[in-house]
Amino acid sequence: DAGVTQSPTHLIKTRGQQVTLRCSPKSGHDTVSWYQQALGQGPQFIFQYYEEEERQRGNFPDRFSGHQFPNYSSELNVNALLLGDSALYLCASSFSNIQYFGAGTRLSVL
Amino acid sequence: AQRVTQPEKLLSVFKGAPVELKCNYSYSGSPELFWYVQYSRQRLQLLLRHISRESIKGFTADLNKGETSFHLKKPFAQEEDSAMYYCALGSDSSNTGKLIFGQGTTLQVKP
């Protein structure tokens, strides 16, 4: 089992652009959560997907959206990128309230 | 509001010394607390979960509901314990798994 995999590992975008980040959960896990981790901070919850529906959402604007596919993989989309969106984006999959994290996607917005 | 506070950004100790990483939380319900660790160039991984009440790599953590704390302790630090440690709060309801993290404490164990 490869664990939680995320792609790409690094990404550079400019302000106003749109970005899509991808996550494959650990085998057998049906729930995917996304977190944003700014430099020097702890991860902040963006939202969680279960059975292809957004189950819970943190305090993030509508520019942040997501999707979960029937195979439980997930995408995070961010529209109209701002400089402040530069961060490490972490995906975590879970089965029984324990979250397993991917290595993250480092997004830089210039 | 739900909140996790880790008051120390950096904790530096010598090998063999005791370690205590502090974590305080704010939550109106019955909390579920975790400690996650991130070693250099590795992903965030679960270290301890309060309901399991086990010792992992010599670390223990006891939930104190009166003081709303979940401090991480180890009697004798090792150099390989050097890492970033995050305390995280989960909700006991609906098993949604949303985690609220503290800002993290870097533990530096000197030889």
Side-chain angles (χ1 to χ4, degrees):
Chain A
D1 181 14
V4 180
T5 58
Q6 293 186 242
S7 63
T9 52
H10 295 87
L11 206 48
I12 299 175
K13 292 286 187 179
T14 56
R15 278 181 301 175
Q17 285 190 310
Q18 177 263 344
V19 70
T20 298
L21 311 181
R22 295 176 176 82
C23 173
S24 292
K26 199 171 160 60
S27 177
H29 287 189
D30 57 3
T31 303
V32 173
S33 302
W34 287 92
Y35 293 81
Q36 180 194 65
Q37 186 173 20
L39 204 59
Q41 304 291 319
Q44 268 198 290
F45 178 77
I46 302 174
F47 43 52
Q48 185 180 82
Y49 277 83
Y50 172 69
E51 293 188 343
E52 303 179 54
E53 297 283 332
E54 183 182 290
R55 179 158 70 174
Q56 197 170 5
R57 188 178 184 92
N59 190 25
F60 278 81
D62 292 344
R63 297 187 297 109
F64 289 77
S65 63
H67 188 77
Q68 185 178 36
F69 299 93
N71 66 353
Y72 307 127
S73 67
S74 177
E75 288 181 349
L76 163 65
N77 301 292
V78 188
N79 293 323
L81 284 167
L82 304 174
L83 295 179
D85 295 331
S86 295
L88 180 68
Y89 289 84
L90 296 170
C91 170
S93 71
S94 53
F95 178 70
S96 181
N97 220 22
I98 295 177
Q99 298 198 16
Y100 296 82
F101 285 82
T105 293
R106 172 76 60 190
L107 173 64
S108 298
V109 182
L110 306 178
Chain B
Q2 300 172 23
R3 181 175 293 175
V4 175
T5 303
Q6 293 180 249
E8 304 137 329
K9 285 193 78 71
L10 172 66
L11 183 63
S12 188
V13 301
F14 285 101
K15 177 182 171 181
V19 169
E20 184 179 48
L21 297 165
K22 290 184 168 33
C23 171
N24 288 89
Y25 67 91
S26 171
Y27 184 57
S28 56
S30 183
E32 185 163 14
L33 274 297
F34 304 83
W35 276 100
Y36 277 81
V37 60
Q38 187 167 29
Y39 300 102
S40 179
R41 297 188 189 87
Q42 294 188 27
R43 64 186 63 190
L44 203 55
Q45 56 186 282
L46 179 66
L47 179 64
L48 281 180
R49 186 180 182 188
H50 92 271
I51 61 171
S52 59
R53 302 182 66 83
E54 56 189 346
S55 172
I56 304 291
K57 298 184 179 182
F59 285 98
T60 58
D62 290 318
L63 178 60
N64 186 323
K65 290 188 178 180
E67 295 182 1
T68 60
S69 68
F70 188 57
H71 303 328
L72 183 67
K73 299 178 184 179
K74 184 169 183 176
F76 308 104
Q78 303 298 315
E79 288 181 68
E80 55 265 30
D81 296 329
S82 295
M84 175 71 89
Y85 291 80
Y86 292 97
C87 182
L89 168 68
S91 168
D92 66 329
S93 63
S94 74
N95 202 29
T96 64
K98 167 187 172 181
L99 292 174
I100 296 169
F101 284 86
Q103 291 200 328
T105 298
T106 299
L107 175 63
Q108 184 183 75
V109 181
K110 296 177 285 189

